[in-house]
């Protein structure tokens, strides 16, 4: 086998790969229109090479090169069409999955939304309650502050001291029983009248 024959064989393998992809025999078995053209070109190339060199197994594409180019382009187009069909199927499957996910999200939203609204209402109510309590506390604190800053502060403190002292005296009277005796006497006097 000469170097030219070797180059022709490599070129033939390259052409087969371009037309049919890596699995040439499997693709050729499908008998598509372009596979038939390729088979015809291969037969002509073998016949032409045998008539020129007298040996079998050689290929000569010189006579059928235009047809072989058409078959190459057609084969690529067929492969592309098949790949596009697969891509379209995958796109349809993806659409179905996306629609399913969208439906699940909508169902989840329908379940979560009422609970979310209830939670928001509870938070608002709690905020309003805290706000009202805080305003009340601030009002009381302002009154206490005013009490300590007013001129009547000393007079009020004296009253408070007298009240505390009175409470202390009453506790002592209750402890030694004097208060009970006074109450009993008051009740007896009230009954006699």
């Amino acid at each position: 086998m000469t170097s030219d024959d070797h180059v022709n064989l490599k070129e033939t393998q390259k052409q087969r790969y371009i037309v049919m992809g890596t699995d040439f025999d499997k693709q050729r078995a499908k008998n598509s229109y372009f596979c038939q053209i390729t088979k015809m070109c291969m037969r002509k190339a073998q016949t032409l090479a045998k008539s020129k060199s007298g040996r079998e197994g050689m290929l000569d594409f010189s006579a059928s090169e235009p047809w072989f180019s058409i078959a190459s382009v057609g084969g690529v187009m067929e492969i592309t069409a098949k790949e596009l069909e697969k891509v379209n199927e995958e796109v349809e499957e993806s659409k179905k999955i996306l629609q399913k996910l969208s439906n699940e999200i909508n169902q989840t939203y329908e379940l979560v939304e009422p609970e979310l609204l209830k939670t928001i209402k509870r938070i608002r109510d709690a905020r309003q309650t805290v706000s009202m309590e805080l305003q009340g506390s601030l009002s009381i604190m302002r009154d206490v502050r005013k009490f300590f800053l007013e001129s009547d502060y000393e007079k009020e403190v004296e009253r408070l001291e007298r009240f505390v002292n009175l409470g202390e005296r009453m506790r002592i009277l209750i402890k030694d029983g004097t208060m009970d005796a006074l109450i009993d006497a008051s009740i007896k006097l009230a009954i006699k009248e």
Side-chain angles (χ1 to χ4, degrees):
M1 198 163 148
T2 64
S3 62
D4 289 338
D5 295 339
H6 189 64
V7 170
N8 283 340
L9 189 58
K10 281 189 177 185
E11 189 64 34
T12 303
Q13 289 170 345
K14 241 192 245 182
Q15 292 294 336
R16 282 183 179 178
Y17 178 77
I18 290 170
V19 174
M20 297 298 171
T22 54
D23 198 0
F24 179 73
D25 293 328
K26 192 174 181 182
Q27 292 289 340
R28 189 172 13 163
K30 292 183 179 178
N31 285 330
S32 70
Y33 175 71
F34 294 106
C35 286
Q36 290 173 3
I37 292 174
T38 305
K39 284 181 192 177
M40 179 190 70
C41 290
M42 296 295 281
R43 273 184 258 141
K44 281 185 178 181
Q46 284 176 345
T47 306
L48 188 60
K50 186 176 179 184
S51 67
K52 284 183 179 178
S53 67
R55 294 187 299 183
E56 287 197 30
M58 301 293 295
L59 298 171
D60 185 358
F61 290 103
S62 58
S64 58
E65 195 167 324
W67 286 101
F68 199 72
S69 296
I70 291 169
S72 298
V73 172
V76 169
M77 288 172 63
E78 279 183 346
I79 292 169
T80 304
K82 288 175 187 169
E83 289 175 358
L84 284 174
E85 285 176 14
K86 287 179 187 175
V87 168
N88 287 337
E89 289 171 5
E90 290 173 1
V91 166
E92 289 300 319
E93 186 65 29
S94 298
K95 280 182 181 178
K96 289 176 186 174
I97 291 170
L98 287 173
Q99 185 61 47
K100 182 180 176 185
L101 289 173
S102 173
N103 292 341
E104 288 176 4
I105 289 171
N106 286 337
Q107 288 173 353
T108 304
Y109 177 75
E110 289 171 3
L111 291 174
V112 170
E113 183 188 27
E115 292 301 318
L116 190 60
L117 292 175
K118 287 178 190 175
T119 304
I120 290 170
K121 187 180 181 313
R122 284 195 303 253
I123 290 171
R124 283 183 182 155
D125 292 345
R127 182 183 56 83
Q128 289 174 350
T129 302
V130 167
S131 177
M132 288 174 16
E133 292 292 328
L134 188 59
Q135 286 175 353
S137 298
L138 287 174
S139 174
I140 293 169
M141 285 185 214
R142 282 189 199 109
D143 291 343
V144 170
R145 182 174 173 265
K146 282 181 187 176
F147 169 74
F148 284 112
L149 294 177
E150 288 179 348
S151 60
D152 294 341
Y153 165 71
E154 290 179 14
K155 198 192 306 180
E156 293 296 328
V157 169
E158 285 176 17
R159 280 186 197 163
L160 184 61
E161 284 177 2
R162 277 186 278 157
F163 181 74
V164 169
N165 287 336
L166 181 63
E168 286 292 322
R169 277 191 239 147
M170 284 184 74
R171 187 170 57 96
I172 292 170
L173 291 173
I174 290 171
K175 208 177 203 182
D176 67 7
T178 307
M179 197 61 136
D180 288 337
L182 279 172
I183 291 173
D184 286 341
S186 297
I187 291 173
K188 286 179 185 176
L189 288 174
I191 293 175
K192 285 184 182 179
E193 289 181 6

